[in-house]
Amino acid sequence: MATLKRSDSIADNMPEAFKQSRYHMKKCFAKYIEKGRRTMKLQQLLDEMENVIDDQVERTRVLEGLLGDIWFSIQEAVVNPPYVAFSIRPSPGFWEYVKVNSANLSVEGITAADYLKFKEMIYDEDWANDANALEVDFGAFDFSVPHLTLSSSIGNGIGFVSKFLTSKLSGRLENAQPLVDYLLSLNHQGEKLMINETLGTVGKLQMALIVAEVYLSGLAKDTPYQNFEISFKEWGFEKGWGDTAERVKETMRCLSEVLQAPDPISMENFFSRLPTVFNVVIFSPHGYFGQADVLGLPDTGGQVVYILDQVKALEEELLLRIKQQGLMNVKPQIVVVTRLIPDARGTKCDQELEAIDGTKYSNILRVPFLVENRVLRQWVSRFDVYPYIEKFTQEATAKILDLMEGKPDLIIGNYTDGNLAATLMAGKLGVTQATIAHALEKTKYEDSDVKWKELDAKYHFPCQFMADTVAMNATDFIIASTYQEIAGSKDRPGQYESHSAFTLPGLCRVVSGVNRNRVDSRSFNSAIEELLYSKVVNGEHIGYLEDKKKPIIFSMARLDTVKNLSGLTEWYGKNKRLRGLVNLVIVGGFFDPNKSKDREEMAEIKKMHELIEKYQLKGQIRWIAAQTDRKRNGELYRCIADSKGAFVQPALYEAFGLTVIEAMNCGLPTFATNQGGPAEIIVDGISGFHIDPKNGDESSKIIADFFERCKVDPGHWNKYSLEGLKRINECYTWKIYAYKLLNMGGMYSFWRQLNKEQKLAKQRYIELFYNLKFRELVKKVPIPTEEDQTPVSNPAARTQSGASMKRTQTRLQKYELQTRIANFFGSCNKGTHIIFFLLAGFLELKL
């Protein structure tokens, strides 16, 4: 029986599906249009089908095959006799719209805009028929950026960006010039970082890197940067490469790889080392934001806990990076900006500045909501905050510039109000922005878009939905906690999908809100099974596993000497007891040494082939080529955990050990090197095992002993699986979060510079939408009476001196000018640049 394939169009396949049971489907459609105009969800469609086809066996037969695939993908139907339009989601992130004539079951594919108009006929027919009704299409500005095409790519935006950047920088030498220009722009409070104008071209930088690497090879690994700083400065290098000769050499090698033959992994690795983020602003305006006695107060809950944990992890990661970058005199600053509430109900929410416990350089800055020249005293619901956000952000921007003595490097918004404030500040200062939705209200209240008029007095949903749409289009990247948050499940859309196309009848029709990725849905389980066990020879794996019942020991890393994957293979080959207990899976590198451009990797590839032959490992080893799809890697960890296997990290040295954390987080008992970070991650004998990479015989014995014990005591494996999970949850979840967040901050700051023309075009569209539509809606949100307000002269509300305020205003004018100049450069030819540069210099001197 025919089934629906991802490549198939719904509009093309629906007529064929109806042929399976044309008689019953005509009766069903007659039933659907019987009650006139209305919207229907899938369950209503099925319930009314049950009334038409009362025989369960027959009903089951009708919904088999192609028709069933289509029918169970329906999210909504709009009945407008004689037509029924369907919104269909055959796989996560992918939507199609069709219109069916109930009289003859003819099918027509329609656009998202046509579907929304069809739906509007039920709620506001005049608006639906208005040829000049406002349509909002943010997708029109994504013209130069390719879209994700795989469902597995959802949630891996940084991986997608690194691939895109790789393609942009590859090829001719001059293609990498934007990266050199970006490195030249890096500074901290006016002090140059990484390189200066001496190394202004790709060729000059490459030559200098070669000279520097040779020089560093003659130094002891732990030589402090200060010992060779003067020589490096003469060659064109500034601070930021590292704190020791070894760290500087590693960073330089990363850059050399990116300049010579960029790939996504080396690109991410290099950007994770760059000194790009020092000062962070985090917005969370609504509720009572404090460290004590606030949980349970109105609009105050998990978001407060989340942000406080986030701040501690971010500061710790920033301090570690700054030390590793050799910037010993730099101190990071993290400021959480929230609302100052005079009526604080016994909390510290009326205190302007509060240090965050457990940190050295992080504070809560509270800024009051203002109504004209008065401070609002009382709590305001998160649904009613919109009239205050613009002025609140202006005040906060001035205070932040004064507190940080300059611009922040990253601005993070939380929830709708915080994301809107982050958008306004980031746009004003030209700073990288991150958005965290936490919860999009649109997904909580069914039909809250089309029924907005009924709900407006209480919730002001148009303000909220437009603010969310503005923020998610203005931001540089969106942070989500889970894949489900973004793309939902097969049956339920993710919360971001709800903003891809929606309508507010009488206000606007959003035909492309948040970028909707056209994705392929595929079953990872079957793909992973094939990856591990298929005997079909292809370019993705070598070897096979004869005994599928044996557990798997598994390792994944780059194929170089330090990662020691060939060492693990040799341990396994020599230990007959271990070979009798488990299979070995290695993920890394190429199979053909000629495909590699790295001499060390080429040698390791040859060594792997020699070891497999020497120990006759075919039938017991699966060598899988390097995998770049992180979601699939996650499934690989879980699949091996299902086999009651284990993860082995045999590196000669590992600075951090992200794969160790990922493995433990998937419930895999883990054996990891005792050299470096994993020795701290794992408590030996409790949450995993330390192994000595220089003593393969002892290490393989430890692994064999574990699996021998598991054969006798099945609970032994579960014990280490659970203890590993417990250790990660207690110590490392936020550490991973902070590491990845700062990586994204660095990568996306380059991304925004590379795509500044598109960014500017979209920004102008957003400003138009914000000023002409959002601001008008905000005026309709009620303002509390004067009894609930305090004159702005209240000392708690204003603490800056006159001189300080003047300095702040000067800084703000300066940064606004710099942002305008950058925007102007993005849209001018070179001749105009020269003229405008002179003018800009004059204006800045005047400031």
Side-chain angles (χ1 to χ4, degrees):
M1 184 172 286
T3 57
L4 185 68
K5 297 176 183 176
R6 163 63 183 84
S7 57
D8 296 337
S9 159
I10 297 291
D12 292 341
N13 279 270
M14 218 173 199
E16 185 64 32
F18 287 156
K19 287 180 182 178
Q20 291 175 206
S21 188
R22 190 171 181 83
Y23 169 75
H24 287 306
M25 292 314 297
K26 284 201 75 171
K27 289 183 66 177
C28 286
F29 272 88
K31 184 73 173 174
Y32 295 154
I33 66 170
E34 191 176 74
K35 296 179 181 177
R37 289 179 176 176
R38 56 176 172 153
T39 58
M40 302 176 71
K41 303 301 180 187
L42 175 60
Q43 192 55 53
Q44 291 173 276
L45 294 171
L46 294 173
D47 289 345
E48 296 202 7
M49 178 180 281
E50 187 174 341
N51 293 333
V52 173
I53 313 171
D54 53 7
D55 182 83
Q56 185 175 347
V57 175
E58 182 64 13
R59 196 164 60 249
T60 303
R61 187 194 65 77
V62 168
L63 288 174
E64 284 179 343
L66 186 58
L67 181 60
D69 288 348
I70 293 173
W71 218 249
F72 287 108
S73 298
I74 293 172
Q75 298 299 313
E76 182 183 63
V78 179
V79 180
N80 197 345
Y83 296 101
V84 181
F86 294 95
S87 168
I88 303 175
R89 181 178 174 268
S91 57
F94 183 81
W95 294 75
E96 283 194 56
Y97 305 94
V98 296
K99 186 169 70 173
V100 178
N101 187 325
S102 60
N104 57 17
L105 299 189
S106 61
V107 181
E108 176 191 353
I110 59 176
T111 65
D114 289 335
Y115 178 80
L116 294 175
K117 289 177 189 176
F118 199 77
K119 188 175 180 179
E120 289 161 2
M121 294 289 286
I122 299 171
Y123 301 96
D124 191 335
E125 189 170 353
D126 290 340
W127 166 262
N129 290 323
D130 186 350
N132 296 312
L134 175 62
E135 283 194 357
V136 181
D137 184 3
F138 287 102
F141 294 89
D142 294 327
F143 48 84
S144 67
V145 180
H147 292 177
L148 305 181
T149 56
L150 298 173
S151 58
S152 57
S153 298
I154 295 176
N156 186 25
I158 192 169
F160 171 73
V161 167
S162 64
K163 289 176 185 175
F164 181 68
L165 292 178
T166 297
S167 69
K168 294 277 281 187
L169 301 182
S170 298
R172 295 178 300 175
L173 198 65
E174 56 265 31
N175 289 355
Q177 187 60 42
L179 178 57
V180 177
D181 295 339
Y182 176 70
L183 294 175
L184 282 168
S185 73
L186 296 181
N187 72 89
H188 178 255
Q189 293 184 343
E191 184 180 2
K192 279 277 187 184
L193 299 175
M194 300 303 287
I195 62 174
N196 58 43
E197 284 73 11
T198 306
L199 305 178
T201 66
V202 180
K204 289 179 180 178
L205 179 55
Q206 281 185 317
M207 288 301 299
L209 288 170
I210 293 169
V211 172
E213 244 189 281
V214 172
Y215 175 84
L216 291 167
S217 297
L219 301 179
K221 291 182 178 180
D222 59 353
T223 304
Y225 180 81
Q226 290 77 5
N227 288 19
F228 50 89
E229 181 180 353
I230 295 173
S231 298
F232 265 47
K233 195 173 184 70
E234 290 173 358
W235 297 339
F237 295 110
E238 301 289 345
K239 294 177 182 177
W241 292 92
D243 57 337
T244 64
E246 182 180 29
R247 180 80 184 181
V248 172
K249 188 177 178 181
E250 288 173 356
T251 306
M252 288 186 161
R253 185 169 293 174
C254 286
L255 178 55
S256 293
E257 289 175 4
V258 168
L259 293 174
Q260 289 169 20
D263 66 79
I265 293 173
S266 61
M267 188 74 70
E268 287 187 48
N269 190 23
F270 175 63
F271 274 93
S272 72
R273 291 168 170 263
L274 283 182
T276 54
V277 180
F278 305 102
N279 297 331
V280 181
V281 169
I282 300 173
F283 274 104
S284 182
H286 72 263
Y288 292 80
F289 194 101
Q291 300 180 82
D293 307 319
V294 297
L295 296 181
L297 293 175
D299 286 340
T300 309
Q303 184 171 310
V304 173
V305 177
Y306 175 99
I307 292 170
L308 291 173
D309 286 343
Q310 176 193 50
V311 167
K312 291 167 189 172
L314 280 175
E315 184 182 290
E316 187 177 324
E317 181 66 23
L318 280 170
L319 287 168
L320 174 63
R321 290 188 180 211
I322 289 168
K323 176 187 176 299
Q324 291 175 337
Q325 289 156 358
L327 304 173
M328 301 306 294
N329 295 324
V330 174
K331 305 301 178 192
Q333 287 193 77
I334 302 174
V335 179
V336 178
V337 181
T338 188
R339 183 194 163 200
L340 185 146
I341 309 176
D343 185 7
R345 298 177 65 169
T347 70
K348 291 184 178 180
C349 293
D350 57 350
Q351 180 178 317
E352 184 182 45
L353 200 63
E354 180 186 357
I356 294 177
D357 298 339
T359 70
K360 293 181 179 179
Y361 308 105
S362 301
N363 293 280
I364 300 168
L365 171 67
R366 297 188 178 90
V367 178
F369 281 174
L370 299 177
V371 181
E372 295 177 352
N373 64 338
R374 293 176 174 270
V375 172
L376 189 64
R377 294 188 54 81
Q378 79 218 44
W379 163 81
V380 174
S381 164
R382 69 184 189 277
F383 296 113
D384 299 332
V385 297
Y386 303 104
Y388 318 103
I389 295 298
E390 191 171 307
K391 184 65 176 173
F392 167 82
T393 308
Q394 291 170 0
E395 294 284 308
T397 301
K399 289 177 182 289
I400 285 292
L401 292 176
D402 193 57
L403 195 63
M404 292 185 168
E405 298 184 350
K407 292 194 296 184
D409 305 298
L410 178 64
I411 301 171
I412 304 171
N414 291 272
Y415 190 69
T416 306
D417 53 352
N419 287 325
L420 182 61
T423 298
L424 295 172
M425 181 184 281
K428 180 75 72 176
L429 300 179
V431 172
T432 304
Q433 176 191 349
T435 291
I436 307 175
H438 292 282
L440 294 170
E441 299 292 345
K442 190 170 176 296
T443 57
K444 295 181 183 179
Y445 299 85
E446 193 169 68
D447 296 328
S448 50
D449 51 358
V450 288
K451 296 180 179 177
W452 70 269
K453 292 175 185 176
E454 300 173 25
L455 304 166
D456 195 47
K458 185 175 182 181
Y459 296 112
H460 315 297
F461 280 141
C463 289
Q464 184 145 29
F465 300 164
M466 287 187 186
D468 283 326
T469 304
V470 162
M472 286 189 281
N473 278 282
T475 193
D476 295 293
F477 62 100
I478 296 172
I479 302 166
S481 301
T482 64
Y483 177 87
Q484 285 74 21
E485 184 181 342
I486 307 164
S489 62
K490 186 178 183 301
D491 302 316
R492 182 181 177 85
Q495 65 169 347
Y496 291 98
E497 284 186 271
S498 70
H499 282 259
S500 61
F502 64 95
T503 183
L504 298 164
L507 294 176
C508 65
R509 181 183 304 127
V510 181
V511 299
S512 179
V514 178
N515 183 14
R516 184 181 72 234
N517 296 317
R518 299 176 64 83
V519 299
D520 279 306
S521 178
R522 53 182 179 168
S523 169
F524 275 103
N525 289 337
S526 60
I528 296 300
E529 288 283 326
E530 184 176 343
L531 188 67
L532 288 172
Y533 298 113
S534 171
K535 289 189 177 182
V536 177
V537 177
N538 61 33
E540 199 172 22
H541 49 71
I542 284 178
Y544 61 94
L545 305 180
E546 188 70 55
D547 186 354
K548 295 181 182 179
K549 294 180 181 178
K550 285 200 298 190
I552 291 170
I553 59 170
F554 159 63
S555 192
M556 177 163 55
R558 293 192 314 275
L559 199 56
D560 60 27
T561 305
V562 174
K563 294 300 183 183
N564 201 29
L565 293 182
S566 60
L568 172 60
T569 304
E570 186 155 27
W571 303 351
Y572 180 79
K574 291 167 70 173
N575 192 320
K576 291 182 179 178
R577 183 163 68 104
L578 183 59
R579 288 173 65 173
L581 290 165
V582 296
N583 291 315
L584 174 64
V585 171
I586 297 288
V587 180
F590 300 97
F591 306 133
D592 183 355
N594 294 323
K595 288 186 176 179
S596 174
K597 294 177 180 167
D598 184 280
R599 280 177 293 195
E600 188 171 286
E601 185 181 39
M602 290 167 71
E604 285 296 297
I605 291 169
K606 291 175 184 176
K607 187 176 179 181
M608 284 292 294
H609 285 291
E610 290 167 2
L611 290 169
I612 291 170
E613 189 63 34
K614 177 181 178 180
Y615 294 106
Q616 295 295 297
L617 295 180
K618 286 184 179 176
Q620 293 181 303
I621 189 173
R622 179 70 135 197
W623 178 12
I624 300 170
Q627 301 289 302
T628 58
D629 187 328
R630 290 182 177 177
K631 186 170 189 298
R632 186 156 109 152
N633 289 345
E635 292 296 328
L636 187 57
Y637 283 115
R638 284 184 278 276
C639 190
I640 290 170
D642 290 342
S643 82
K644 297 293 182 182
F647 183 79
V648 182
Q649 212 277 28
L652 300 177
Y653 179 80
E654 184 63 58
F656 178 45
L658 191 60
T659 54
V660 171
I661 290 173
E662 289 172 342
M664 293 168 72
N665 201 39
C666 290
L668 272 171
T670 300
F671 301 79
T673 179
N674 59 9
Q675 304 296 311
E680 180 182 330
I681 295 169
I682 292 173
V683 180
D684 188 35
I686 296 175
S687 54
F689 301 88
H690 294 165
I691 52 175
D692 184 353
K694 297 175 183 176
N695 189 340
D697 292 342
E698 178 62 23
S699 295
S700 64
K701 179 181 180 298
I702 291 170
I703 300 168
D705 288 346
F706 172 80
F707 281 100
E708 205 146 66
R709 174 76 182 273
C710 289
K711 287 184 75 173
V712 179
D713 177 14
H716 192 62
W717 188 93
N718 292 333
K719 172 189 171 185
Y720 283 92
S721 174
L722 293 171
E723 286 295 330
L725 280 166
K726 181 181 175 185
R727 173 72 175 165
I728 295 306
N729 288 332
E730 286 176 350
C731 304
Y732 288 96
T733 303
W734 278 108
K735 188 178 182 71
I736 298 168
Y737 173 98
Y739 176 82
K740 290 185 175 181
L741 174 57
L742 292 178
N743 284 358
M744 287 190 283
M747 181 78 79
Y748 281 101
S749 67
F750 177 49
W751 169 269
R752 65 182 278 125
Q753 182 168 311
L754 202 62
N755 290 282
K756 57 188 174 186
E757 290 184 17
Q758 179 177 314
K759 180 84 176 174
L760 177 60
K762 199 169 191 177
Q763 185 66 30
R764 291 289 181 247
Y765 189 70
I766 289 168
E767 288 171 2
L768 191 71
F769 183 62
Y770 175 86
N771 283 290
L772 297 182
K773 212 69 188 172
F774 181 78
R775 272 182 154 183
E776 291 303 308
L777 286 170
V778 164
K779 291 176 182 177
K780 298 176 183 177
V781 179
I783 300 291
T785 59
E786 284 197 17
E787 292 79 49
D788 301 312
Q789 300 164 20
T790 303
V792 82
S793 56
N794 187 324
R798 294 292 177 98
T799 57
Q800 286 179 291
S801 68
S804 175
M805 283 295 291
K806 189 173 181 180
R807 286 196 305 273
T808 300
Q809 288 167 358
T810 302
R811 283 196 191 100
L812 187 54
Q813 289 173 324
K814 175 184 173 182
Y815 295 132
E816 283 178 351
L817 176 63
Q818 288 175 346
T819 303
R820 287 174 192 157
I821 292 169
N823 290 342
F824 187 84
F825 278 3
S827 58
C828 293
N829 59 41
K830 288 183 179 178
T832 314
H833 285 184
I834 297 168
I835 298 167
F836 196 74
F837 179 76
L838 297 171
L839 176 61
F842 171 74
L843 289 173
E844 191 159 345
L845 286 171
K846 293 286 284 183
L847 287 175

